[in-house]
Amino acid sequence: MFQIFKEHKGFSKQIFLLAKNELIKTYKGAVIGPFWAVIKPAFTLFVYWFAFSVGIKELGDVDVAINGEFINTFDRFTFMIVGFIPWFFISDSITQGAKAIRLNRQFVTKVNFPVSTIMTFTATARLYVHLLLAALMFLYVSLVSGVGVSIYNLQFFLYCPLMFIFFVVLTWSTAPMSAFSRDFENMIVSIMSGIFWVSGIIYSSYEFTSGFLKYLMLLNPINFFANGYRNAFLYQRWFFEYPLELIIFLVEFAAIFVLGIYNYNRLRKSLPDVL
């Protein structure tokens, strides 16, 4: 842990500059450049809006009840957009984070650069896009959908940094392992579409009638953030009102943190030879 913190010390300016360059590099050659990072999720949201609000009208609005207590009725698109915004960040953080070391191998093999900061600036580049999308989501939810503004919205400043840190820590394991094995990287990319459907992005896991499934969903950290964003912007509930969900996430976070430190420390010195 201290090794990773030591590697970040004095590199904050470089991390932000490299995050900016990461976005530019990703969309290099495109006329509108990094704006594609917004257009892509916007098109995805349009497709889902058309499918659920126009194509399948009989689905109607979403009635949300938590532990048998009715919360509110939400327009289906409004309900989904609040779940999709963290998903876009999470999906890119997992897939691109796993590729981070391999795609930036020059920092490992040619220059003396702290390896752990590679995962940090890769995630920071996605965070820039997420903050822009979150601002657009907030404007839509507060001004267009009619949900309005509330003090619960401030929880965004808890969930967003926590989400960023969690998935950076996750890449301490996945990025070095992907550098060693392209099969591991391909496996991550392959299972992401499946993870989407079991992560509560387009439905509320609080609504499950099966107690087993409801508690099983609590083990999914992506579901924690989907619920968290909806708590902040739709449900108007504080993060501590469902303590079991929070406790399970914190235990998982601690486990991922320890595993990340272990894997990074175990594989870091071998990366130059592998790459």
Side-chain angles (χ1 to χ4, degrees):
M1 180 178 67
F2 290 111
Q3 173 65 32
I4 292 174
F5 289 163
K6 183 180 178 181
E7 289 183 354
H8 280 71
K9 185 179 180 181
F11 277 86
S12 58
K13 183 177 180 181
Q14 291 91 329
I15 287 172
F16 286 113
L17 287 174
L18 287 168
K20 177 183 174 182
N21 290 337
E22 178 80 4
L23 275 179
I24 295 172
K25 180 176 68 175
T26 302
Y27 300 98
K28 185 178 180 180
V31 175
I32 59 176
F35 285 103
W36 281 111
V38 177
I39 293 173
K40 179 182 175 182
F43 179 74
T44 301
L45 288 172
F46 169 77
V47 170
Y48 277 94
W49 167 81
F50 185 85
F52 287 98
S53 296
V54 180
I56 316 178
K57 290 182 179 180
E58 61 269 20
L59 287 177
D61 295 334
V62 180
D63 296 324
V64 176
I66 300 176
N67 294 330
E69 178 187 351
F70 177 73
I71 299 298
N72 208 338
T73 298
F74 302 101
D75 171 77
R76 185 164 295 275
F77 180 71
T78 301
F79 177 82
M80 288 197 306
I81 192 176
V82 179
F84 265 101
I85 295 305
W87 167 254
F88 290 137
F89 172 82
I90 291 169
S91 176
D92 283 347
S93 294
I94 293 175
T95 55
Q96 299 303 315
K99 302 175 184 178
I101 291 178
R102 184 176 59 80
L103 294 180
N104 294 280
R105 66 183 67 194
Q106 69 275 14
F107 292 118
V108 181
T109 59
K110 296 182 180 180
V111 295
N112 185 20
F113 193 80
V115 175
S116 63
T117 59
I118 295 175
M119 288 79 86
T120 304
F121 76 70
T122 299
T124 303
R126 273 70 205 174
L127 182 63
Y128 291 158
V129 178
H130 176 69
L131 292 176
L132 176 58
L133 291 174
L136 295 175
M137 175 200 68
F138 175 72
L139 291 175
Y140 177 84
V141 170
S142 59
L143 299 178
V144 179
S145 71
V147 174
V149 180
S150 74
I151 192 172
Y152 298 95
N153 299 157
L154 294 176
Q155 292 179 102
F156 171 79
F157 299 103
L158 168 67
Y159 285 112
C160 181
L162 193 59
M163 181 172 64
F164 173 78
I165 295 170
F166 181 87
F167 288 100
V168 169
V169 169
L170 181 64
T171 58
W172 292 351
S173 290
T174 59
M177 292 171 69
S178 296
F180 274 80
S181 172
R182 288 295 294 271
D183 290 328
F184 182 78
E185 178 185 313
N186 291 332
M187 181 193 72
I188 290 176
V189 174
S190 299
I191 66 175
M192 283 309 295
S193 59
I195 289 176
F196 167 82
W197 294 105
V198 297
S199 298
I201 305 302
I202 61 174
Y203 54 83
S204 172
S205 61
Y206 294 139
E207 294 290 298
F208 285 5
T209 55
S210 168
F212 172 75
L213 288 177
K214 185 180 292 186
Y215 288 120
L216 186 64
M217 288 295 291
L218 296 181
L219 300 176
N220 186 340
I222 300 176
N223 184 64
F224 171 81
F225 290 111
N227 286 339
Y229 272 56
R230 289 186 177 123
N231 284 335
F233 294 103
L234 298 182
Y235 303 161
Q236 298 190 352
R237 298 174 70 247
W238 294 111
F239 65 92
F240 50 77
E241 290 187 42
Y242 200 173
L244 181 61
E245 185 176 41
L246 179 62
I247 291 170
I248 290 175
F249 171 77
L250 292 177
V251 170
E252 288 181 330
F253 182 85
I256 292 294
F257 190 85
V258 172
L259 186 64
I261 291 172
Y262 171 74
N263 280 322
Y264 176 75
N265 188 56
R266 178 171 62 96
L267 301 174
R268 176 174 56 89
K269 294 181 180 179
S270 302
L271 285 173
D273 295 331
V274 171
L275 295 172

